[in-house]
């Protein structure tokens, strides 16, 4: 069945007295007439580094919030279809409906040698502000080139409210967009903060005080669910053991607190409180609540994805999500939930080799752009740092080189990378620019098509390097390192993420075929009757009616 149109719906809602809307509304009979009435609140949740592999591994263990979502529309093979499987590019797709080639978010960081502050730029900063650096920056939305669904809704009706709470600024800002009413993200040493000049509500003050106390005193080991015990055994990685952790935290260790379930508990509890304080879903227009659960990413980086730590963490996150949904249920508000992830992740190669993956390895230090450039510079008698960027992604050539030297360096660097046995592919700027934008099922895309989806001509590097499967882009170290596992590859263990929709009364179903995270935004837009022109976004509407009807425009 066709969705109602957005503008008439808002006019109808506006005719009701405001005082009456403050009370918990009577829920529409969506079971009897699914999707004929638009929900009053859109809840979008991104679980950072929650791969489709983790979802498949633990879905039968969930009893809380995840379990509820399993009763809705389940797309277990969603895709962050581009090659830049990092936090910033991934979050840019979820509520815009666009891939990084349109959002401009090609990576977490890039090099801009012609900008206001030549050099490295962080995706969520405004580098035009004097005195800032990528490590000491002012959070900003200036680099996000497209609007989010909430932003489009707010442009159509200023009464729409957008609330966004996350552990990372690049999650909170990009899920909400350029016109967020209530924005909170964690900043190390400061707690939950927002843009400068915004008043700090009591809920944020309390959340920061609670977090500060937890960090100061540390914490005991957490209880382990029985179903985690089968993988509870240590493995040595980068100089220290992981795999049998219980999240015991030392006093005054903010890093350990963030890499534990406590971080997501704080994020979700603050989101609950702000939703209650602002009475989301009970105003004159449809509201948006965005939640970025960031701890899974820190757990994955610190301990890997396949040990007891991740098992314990996901059990705790399941309970936290259950609290969020229970709190929303108490308001009586009719809400729809969309949950996904910004990217997947890969386990540590040391454990993978123990578990039937003998080709898993760490990248050779010689492949880092700085090292590769230094070798070429020494051989050819050139000065400066010839190459900038990442060993598994965008690489820039020093703009100070003479044009002839730039061409020589490009050709030589590409030749050396392509010849290395750990490298799967190298694509130059010209090759990426000439490639057509990809379409069709994302699992069928070539490596060049995946790279093209993350290519923005004015931001991307002179070439891009992609390592072979299961080559972790973290070189071996002789001393213990905090980050032992990561993501960011062009391969499906980093591209595939679950996409889940739930609304009270909907008939649940599972669709195992591939969809994309860019499909979330047009799906939600159709559900509330917000029209999008053909081709206006990269994604497509997913029909959430499991029967002969349709929630998508006909």
């Amino acid at each position: 069945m066709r969705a109602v149109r957005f503008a008439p719906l808002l006019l109808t809602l506006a005719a009701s007295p405001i005082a009456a809307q403050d009370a918990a509304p009577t829920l529409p009979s969506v079971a009897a007439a699914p999707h004929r009435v638009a929900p009053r609140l859109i809840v979008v949740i991104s679980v950072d580094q929650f791969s489709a592999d983790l979802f498949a591994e633990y879905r039968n263990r969930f009893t809380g919030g995840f379990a509820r979502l399993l009763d809705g529309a389940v797309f277990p093979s969603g895709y962050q279809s581009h090659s830049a499987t990092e936090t910033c590019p991934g979050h840019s797709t979820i509520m815009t409906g666009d891939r990084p080639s349109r959002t401009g978010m090609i990576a977490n960081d890039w090099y801009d040698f012609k900008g206001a502050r030549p050099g490295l730029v962080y995706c969520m900063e405004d580098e035009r502000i004097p005195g800032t650096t990528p490590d000491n920056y002012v959070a900003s939305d200036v680099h996000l080139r497209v609007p989010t669904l909430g932003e489009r809704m707010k442009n159509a009706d200023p009464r729409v409210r957008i609330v966004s709470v996350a552990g990372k600024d690049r999650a909170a800002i990009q899920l909400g967009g350029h016109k967020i009413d209530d924005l909170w993200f964690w900043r190390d040493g400061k707690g939950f903060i927002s843009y400068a000049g915004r008043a700090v509500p009591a809920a944020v003050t309390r959340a920061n005080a609670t977090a500060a106390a937890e960090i100061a005193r540390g914490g005991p080991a957490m209880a382990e669910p029985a179903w985690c015990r089968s993988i509870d055994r240590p493995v040595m990685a980068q100089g220290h053991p992981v795999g049998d952790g219980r999240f015991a935290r030392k006093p005054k260790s903010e890093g350990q607190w963030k890499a534990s379930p406590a971080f997501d508990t704080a994020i979700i509890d603050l989101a609950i409180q702000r939703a209650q304080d602002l009475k989301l879903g009970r105003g004159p227009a449809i509201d948006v609540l965005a939640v970025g659960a960031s701890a899974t990413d820190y757990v994955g980086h610190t301990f890997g994805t396949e040990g007891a730590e991740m098992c314990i963490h996901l059990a705790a996150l399941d309970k936290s999500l259950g609290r969020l949904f229970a709190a929303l249920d108490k308001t009586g508000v009719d809400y729809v939930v969309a949950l996904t992830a910004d990217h997947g992740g890969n386990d540590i190669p040391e454990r993978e080799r123990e578990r039937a993956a003998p080709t898993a390895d760490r990248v050779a230090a010689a492949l880092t752009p700085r090292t590769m450039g230094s070798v070429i510079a020494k051989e050819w008698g050139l000065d400066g740092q010839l190459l900038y960027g990442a060993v598994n992604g965008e690489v820039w050539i020093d703009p100070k080189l003479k044009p002839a030297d730039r061409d020589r360096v490009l050709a030589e660097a590409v030749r050396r990378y392509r010849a290395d046995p750990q490298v799967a592919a190298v694509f130059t700027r010209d090759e990426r620019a000439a490639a057509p934008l990809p379409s069709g099922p994302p699992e069928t895309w070539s490596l060049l098509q995946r790279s093209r989806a993350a290519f923005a001509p004015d931001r991307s590097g002179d070439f891009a390097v992609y390592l072979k499967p299961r080559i972790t882009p973290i070189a071996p170290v002789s001393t213990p390192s905090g980050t032992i596992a990561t993501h960011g590859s062009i391969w499906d263990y980093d591209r595939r993420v679950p996409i889940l929709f739930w609304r009270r009364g909907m008939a649940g179903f599972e669709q195992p075929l591939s969809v994309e995270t860019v499909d979330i935004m047009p799906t939600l837009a159709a559900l509330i009757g917000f029209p999008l022109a053909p081709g206006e976004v990269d994604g497509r509407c997913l029909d959430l009616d499991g029967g002969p009807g349709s929630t998508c425009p006909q």
Side-chain angles (χ1 to χ4, degrees):
M1 60 188 68
R2 293 178 65 90
V4 295
R5 282 322 215 189
F6 186 63
L9 173 68
L10 288 180
L11 291 174
T12 301
L13 293 173
S16 301
I18 298 293
Q21 293 162 18
D22 282 341
T26 301
L27 288 173
S29 180
V30 294
H35 316 303
R36 193 177 295 276
V37 177
R40 304 287 293 123
L41 175 64
I42 294 172
V43 181
V44 59
I45 302 168
S46 173
V47 179
D48 201 314
Q49 203 183 138
F50 187 44
S51 68
D53 294 333
L54 280 179
F55 172 70
E57 185 175 356
Y58 292 110
R59 60 179 293 175
N60 291 332
R61 302 292 189 179
F62 295 134
T63 59
F66 283 120
R68 174 181 296 204
L69 299 181
L70 287 168
D71 288 333
V74 178
F75 298 90
S77 192
Y79 275 79
Q80 289 281 4
S81 49
H82 52 268
S83 60
T85 50
E86 294 184 315
T87 305
C88 205
H91 277 104
S92 78
T93 70
I94 296 170
M95 284 295 276
T96 66
D98 287 323
R99 303 181 186 117
S101 57
R102 289 176 89 164
T103 69
M105 295 300 169
I106 61 159
N108 284 347
D109 309 272
W110 57 81
Y111 282 87
D112 181 358
F113 295 105
K114 298 179 180 179
R117 194 195 67 216
L120 188 66
V121 175
Y122 170 54
C123 65
M124 285 290 104
E125 71 162 317
D126 186 349
E127 70 278 12
R128 299 169 300 179
I129 299 175
T132 60
T133 70
D135 294 323
N136 184 23
Y137 61 90
V138 175
S140 172
D141 56 30
V142 297
H143 292 306
L144 180 62
R145 290 175 166 168
V146 293
T148 62
L149 175 59
E151 190 177 341
R152 291 171 183 267
M153 292 164 58
K154 198 172 186 68
N155 288 337
D157 188 332
R159 297 170 300 178
V160 169
R161 294 173 298 169
I162 306 169
V163 174
S164 192
V165 180
K168 298 180 182 180
D169 49 25
R170 51 192 182 268
I173 294 171
Q174 294 193 109
L175 291 175
H178 302 89
K179 296 185 176 182
I180 304 174
D181 297 278
D182 198 59
L183 169 69
W184 302 100
F185 50 85
W186 187 266
R187 180 65 62 83
D188 288 353
K190 297 182 179 180
F192 290 105
I193 65 170
S194 188
Y195 292 144
R198 292 201 175 189
V200 179
V204 174
T205 300
R206 290 193 302 269
N208 284 337
T210 299
E214 289 181 353
I215 294 169
R217 67 174 175 263
M222 295 184 62
E224 180 182 57
W227 39 274
C228 295
R229 292 171 188 161
S230 63
I231 57 172
D232 185 348
R233 53 184 179 273
V235 61
M236 292 296 296
Q238 297 288 71
H240 63 271
V242 295
D244 60 348
R246 303 285 188 281
F247 297 111
R249 295 182 284 107
K250 296 179 181 179
K252 301 181 180 180
S253 177
E254 185 175 0
Q256 288 185 342
W257 181 80
K258 288 171 61 180
S260 80
F263 191 28
D264 275 349
T265 297
I267 295 165
I268 291 172
D269 285 350
L270 179 57
I272 291 171
Q273 191 59 57
R274 294 310 291 150
Q276 292 174 341
D277 291 347
L278 297 172
K279 299 181 179 180
L280 294 186
R282 289 182 275 175
I286 299 170
D287 294 326
V288 177
L289 173 63
V291 183
S294 304
T296 308
D297 188 63
Y298 291 107
V299 173
H301 283 303
T302 306
F303 304 102
T305 60
E306 293 299 323
E309 297 91 350
M310 184 62 76
C311 185
I312 295 169
H313 168 68
L314 289 177
L317 177 58
D318 183 42
K319 293 179 181 178
S320 291
L321 291 174
R323 288 200 315 278
L324 171 62
F325 300 149
L328 294 175
D329 290 344
K330 289 182 180 179
T331 67
V333 169
D334 177 22
Y335 63 95
V336 61
V337 179
L339 182 144
T340 190
D342 53 344
H343 53 73
N346 191 36
D347 195 26
I348 52 175
E350 294 84 357
R351 183 160 46 215
E352 288 181 316
R353 287 195 297 268
E354 291 183 358
R355 299 180 181 178
T359 61
D361 204 355
R362 295 190 177 275
V363 69
L367 290 183
T368 63
R370 178 185 286 271
T371 301
M372 178 74 76
S374 297
V375 171
I376 296 174
K378 184 176 180 180
E379 291 180 3
W380 291 3
L382 297 173
D383 296 325
Q385 181 181 336
L386 301 190
L387 302 179
Y388 296 80
V391 70
N392 197 32
E394 307 281 350
V395 182
W396 290 259
I397 298 174
D398 190 341
K400 296 189 293 295
L401 289 173
K402 296 177 182 179
D405 286 336
R406 280 179 56 83
D407 292 344
R408 290 173 62 211
V409 169
L410 173 62
E412 181 64 9
V414 168
R415 183 192 70 80
R416 293 190 184 208
Y417 274 116
R418 283 176 173 165
D420 193 277
Q422 287 192 324
V423 174
V426 180
F427 301 120
T428 66
R429 164 183 289 275
D430 290 345
E431 290 171 330
R432 300 169 81 189
L437 288 168
S439 61
E443 72 273 20
T444 68
W445 294 5
S446 68
L447 299 189
L448 179 56
Q449 289 176 310
R450 301 175 194 189
S451 182
R452 179 63 182 88
F455 176 74
D458 61 332
R459 286 184 182 168
S460 294
D462 294 291
F463 63 95
V465 179
Y466 302 105
L467 300 175
K468 288 183 176 178
R470 301 180 183 86
I471 302 297
T472 296
I474 301 174
V477 297
S478 56
T479 57
S481 171
T483 299
I484 63 171
T486 193
H487 46 83
S489 81
I490 204 167
W491 306 108
D492 282 0
Y493 50 77
D494 283 342
R495 295 173 74 220
R496 289 180 62 247
V497 296
I499 298 177
L500 312 173
F501 296 92
W502 179 90
R503 186 184 180 192
R504 180 181 284 105
M506 72 181 293
F509 65 89
E510 181 154 341
Q511 172 52 272
L513 300 179
S514 62
V515 296
E516 297 182 63
T517 54
V518 294
D519 299 335
I520 295 171
M521 181 272 209
T523 300
L524 294 173
L527 201 62
I528 63 172
F530 192 97
L532 296 170
E536 190 172 352
V537 296
D538 289 329
R540 65 180 179 90
C541 177
L542 303 175
D543 178 14
L544 300 185
D545 187 319
S550 178
T551 60
C552 296
Q554 302 300 305

